[in-house]
Amino acid sequence: MKQFKIDDVAKETGLTKRTIRYYEEIGLIKPPERSEKGTRLYTEEDIERLKKVIAAREVLGFSLQELQQFLTLKETIEAHHRDYRNATDKEQKQQELKEIAAGVREQIDMLEQKMKKMLEWKKELKQLHEKIQAILEEQ
Amino acid sequence: MKQFKIDDVAKETGLTKRTIRYYEEIGLIKPPERSEKGTRLYTEEDIERLKKVIAAREVLGFSLQELQQFLTLKETIEAHHRDYRNATDKEQKQQELKEIAAGVREQIDMLEQKMKKMLEWKKELKQLHEKIQAILEEQ
DNA sequence: TGTAACATTAACGTTAATGTTATATTTATA
DNA sequence: TATAAATATAACATTAACGTTAATGTTACA
């Protein structure tokens, strides 16, 4: 499995090295492997995660904290699934899952609302564009 | 024309008074009228503008500076239109309009890209939700 | 008309998200 | 193997977007 140093990752993602270390510091990405002497060694997977973070940040306008919750939902689920069967406290596990599901529904709703508003903005912008064209063609 | 004081506006919009003054300070909204003694007096129109600012901020995840450009495009156009006919420098006016049109197209493209990515996120979230349901129904 | 509830400006404080600089190691290359 | 280039930690700096506080003036009403 190929490994990358922080500068490679920076070039690949467009983030600065400082930012990458910061994202690690606040727990937005998991600490990567280290060489014997301490150099960070990233995998493709780590880079994918970072790209997801960037996409979400840009697209959703989330704060990094919100992002963190958002991005770990999936992993939380998978963890739950693993120990769901052999859990002694099924009741509680079930409750937790229900809460997570509610959170996911909330996120979906939010996305839908945002998309709706974006459509309205787009409409306005299109009208604006047509208006400009009209003026220009007036001669 | 009815006038509102800053606290009314704050309650109506959900912003704090500090924030409203700040938005004025950075030029995101135009300075409202003042009473003889200096009290800010807002019109319905001012409030509408603020609500637009809020919507755009929440939905588009723009910085306030980006917002400013975005929101003034329309007004810029109308100003142009007014003095387009009786302009002596039609050439230049036309050039300016073309640049604005390009800016608008850029914004539209950006919106479309964002919406596309949001759709992807939504899809993922829906899958996640289904997965949780499946686990819960496993018993 | 007093006083409580608001308004104003001004200045300093705070938090998130980095940028910058310094100092010390590590790694790559001539 | 020397030295240049990259990495690491740490600490201080900066910017946006407000919050908070202080000092002072204004408006509403009992």
Side-chain angles (χ1 to χ4, degrees):
Chain A
M1 174 174 60
K2 218 193 156 194
Q3 314 224 88
F4 305 86
K5 299 217 281 184
I6 197 163
D7 201 41
D8 305 328
V9 179
K11 272 165 191 154
E12 178 71 19
T13 59
L15 300 173
T16 67
K17 291 180 274 187
R18 173 69 172 89
T19 299
I20 296 170
R21 294 197 192 97
Y22 176 68
Y23 283 4
E24 177 186 337
E25 187 184 326
I26 64 171
L28 195 52
I29 56 177
K30 69 172 215 296
E33 297 291 299
R34 297 279 188 134
S35 80
E36 207 171 323
K37 294 298 187 179
T39 302
R40 269 168 261 249
L41 299 172
Y42 297 88
T43 67
E44 291 277 6
E45 203 183 327
D46 292 329
I47 296 179
E48 286 319 301
R49 165 83 178 199
L50 261 178
K51 285 186 178 170
K52 277 215 154 189
V53 168
I54 296 165
R57 186 192 60 180
E58 282 173 359
V59 173
L60 306 179
F62 281 1
S63 76
L64 296 182
Q65 287 206 11
E66 287 169 317
L67 267 186
Q68 199 165 347
Q69 292 178 24
F70 189 87
L71 285 165
T72 45
L73 266 183
K74 210 169 191 167
E75 291 145 35
T76 312
I77 289 303
E78 256 127 49
H80 260 87
H81 199 186
R82 255 182 277 117
D83 53 42
Y84 187 68
R85 296 172 171 279
N86 49 349
T88 58
D89 50 352
K90 285 226 171 187
E91 287 293 303
Q92 193 183 333
K93 286 277 161 200
Q94 192 163 11
Q95 192 49 39
E96 280 172 35
L97 271 185
K98 280 183 183 170
E99 274 161 28
I100 294 172
V104 174
R105 274 198 305 276
E106 227 176 87
Q107 303 267 20
I108 293 176
D109 285 356
M110 218 190 51
L111 271 186
E112 277 171 355
Q113 280 189 33
K114 282 202 179 189
M115 290 179 65
K116 212 170 119 191
K117 288 197 181 173
M118 284 186 130
L119 260 181
E120 286 168 23
W121 280 108
K122 193 178 147 190
K123 213 168 138 187
E124 269 202 53
L125 281 173
K126 286 206 163 176
Q127 286 172 9
L128 197 54
H129 194 258
E130 281 166 24
K131 200 164 181 178
I132 299 176
Q133 293 309 322
I135 297 176
L136 280 173
E137 282 158 21
E138 243 177 30
Q139 50 257 31
Chain B
M1 174 174 60
K2 219 192 155 194
Q3 314 225 86
F4 304 86
K5 300 216 278 184
I6 197 163
D7 201 42
D8 304 328
V9 179
K11 272 165 192 156
E12 178 70 19
T13 60
L15 300 173
T16 67
K17 292 181 274 187
R18 173 68 172 92
T19 300
I20 296 170
R21 294 198 191 98
Y22 175 67
Y23 283 2
E24 178 186 337
E25 187 184 325
I26 64 173
L28 194 53
I29 55 175
K30 68 172 216 296
E33 299 289 300
R34 297 279 189 135
S35 80
E36 207 171 324
K37 293 298 187 179
T39 302
R40 267 168 263 249
L41 298 173
Y42 297 88
T43 68
E44 292 277 6
E45 203 184 326
D46 292 329
I47 297 180
E48 285 319 301
R49 165 82 178 199
L50 262 177
K51 284 186 179 171
K52 277 214 156 190
V53 168
I54 297 166
R57 186 192 62 180
E58 283 173 358
V59 174
L60 306 178
F62 281 1
S63 76
L64 296 183
Q65 288 204 10
E66 288 169 316
L67 265 187
Q68 199 166 347
Q69 292 178 24
F70 189 87
L71 285 166
T72 45
L73 267 181
K74 209 170 193 167
E75 289 146 35
T76 311
I77 289 301
E78 257 129 47
H80 261 85
H81 200 186
R82 258 183 275 115
D83 54 42
Y84 188 67
R85 296 173 171 279
N86 49 349
T88 59
D89 49 352
K90 285 224 170 189
E91 286 295 302
Q92 194 183 333
K93 287 279 162 197
Q94 192 164 10
Q95 192 49 39
E96 281 173 35
L97 271 186
K98 280 182 182 169
E99 275 161 27
I100 294 173
V104 173
R105 273 198 306 276
E106 225 176 88
Q107 303 267 20
I108 293 176
D109 285 356
M110 216 190 52
L111 271 186
E112 276 171 357
Q113 280 189 33
K114 282 203 178 189
M115 288 178 66
K116 212 170 119 190
K117 289 197 182 172
M118 283 185 135
L119 258 182
E120 287 167 24
W121 280 109
K122 192 178 150 191
K123 212 168 137 188
E124 270 202 52
L125 281 173
K126 285 207 165 175
Q127 285 172 8
L128 197 54
H129 194 258
E130 281 166 25
K131 201 164 180 178
I132 300 175
Q133 293 309 321
I135 298 176
L136 280 173
E137 282 158 20
E138 244 178 29
Q139 49 256 31

